[in-house]
Amino acid sequence: MADGATAAGVAGGAPAQHDHDHDHQVVPDDIALRVRALESILVEKEMIDPAELDAVVDAYENRIGPRNGAQVVARAWTDPEYKARLLADGTAAIGEFGFLGAQGEHMVVVENTPEVHNLVVCTLCSCYPWPTLGLPPVWYKSAPYRARAVIEPRAVLREFGVDLPDDVEVRVWDSTAEIRYLVLPERPAGTEGLTEEQLAELVSRDSMIGVARVAAPEESAP
């Protein structure tokens, strides 16, 4: 590909003047070019609606992802009544935030405690709660994780940096097309004075799958 203008042409004859601000001197990578070309062909053949496609992209860039799940966790840490509702009926309690929709219709929330540690996997494929965690990471979809998480969960957790004492029970939850799981991690000590928003910043995607703990601010600092 010779230059950015040529790349734009391959992507479906996009006009030279438009209102977005990316640098046309930077040539997109091969995958990006292929995606743009496919998108352009599908639009040209009226097989997809560009507005609907923009809505999907906006959803995954701005409205769907682990920040949603982190808000749910932080609320549960600060509001005992909400926590009780969340553990009793995850779908309804998460629905109070509006974080439902495809792949989040039937949610079960399991709580980590000093005695119990929960780990989520999908042994058949990669079932995952999109509205609260976004799209699954590559390792979650990999065959080794899917197989080993149920056979030797403690070893898998150690590889993620979570070394559990023998007296801590490990429970492995197998997601399906019907039920998706979200781990409510333990609130770290020393966070009593933090606001709900500050607590949400501490919560990671991996902690809501169960392959990580949530660290207090001084522990998470570099």
Side-chain angles (χ1 to χ4, degrees):
M1 199 62 62
D3 53 34
T6 305
V10 170
Q17 300 295 325
H18 40 241
D19 57 4
H20 51 264
D21 59 0
H22 63 253
D23 184 357
H24 281 208
Q25 299 305 310
V26 178
V27 180
D29 60 31
D30 186 57
I31 293 298
L33 289 173
R34 292 185 188 191
V35 170
R36 289 188 188 182
L38 178 61
E39 176 187 339
S40 184
I41 290 170
L42 293 173
V43 170
E44 182 179 335
K45 293 182 177 297
E46 299 183 346
M47 297 178 69
I48 61 172
D49 181 339
E52 292 184 1
L53 190 60
D54 286 345
V56 171
V57 172
D58 176 65
Y60 284 100
E61 286 187 344
N62 303 305
R63 294 185 286 112
I64 292 176
R67 289 301 90 202
N68 291 353
Q71 291 180 55
V72 171
V73 170
R75 176 68 56 82
W77 282 348
T78 56
D79 183 341
E81 293 183 358
Y82 179 77
K83 177 182 173 181
R85 295 199 300 276
L86 183 68
L87 296 176
D89 186 342
T91 307
I94 291 170
E96 295 177 27
F97 282 85
F99 302 150
L100 296 178
Q103 315 303 320
E105 300 94 338
H106 305 290
M107 293 293 300
V108 172
V109 178
V110 290
E111 180 185 17
N112 281 353
T113 69
E115 294 78 30
V116 176
H117 186 94
N118 296 283
L119 176 66
V120 180
V121 65
C122 175
T123 55
L124 290 178
C125 49
S126 58
C127 295
Y128 194 74
W130 294 359
T132 44
L133 292 187
L135 297 176
V138 172
W139 57 260
Y140 183 85
K141 298 181 286 186
S142 70
Y145 176 76
R146 288 157 47 198
R148 294 182 60 224
V150 292
I151 297 171
E152 46 179 1
R154 289 180 185 274
V156 170
L157 287 169
R158 275 196 295 273
E159 292 171 17
F160 277 93
V162 179
D163 196 0
L164 297 172
D166 291 341
D167 61 351
V168 174
E169 178 186 355
V170 178
R171 297 177 182 171
V172 180
W173 301 89
D174 194 359
S175 296
T176 69
E178 286 75 35
I179 298 177
R180 312 296 167 100
Y181 295 93
L182 182 77
V183 173
L184 174 59
E186 289 184 82
R187 178 174 176 169
T191 59
E192 292 76 12
L194 299 185
T195 66
E196 189 174 315
E197 290 73 21
Q198 290 171 322
L199 288 169
E201 290 298 319
L202 303 178
V203 181
S204 68
R205 173 201 64 193
D206 287 2
S207 70
M208 293 180 281
I209 300 173
V211 296
R213 291 190 174 106
V214 177
E218 60 274 18
E219 298 175 77
S220 58

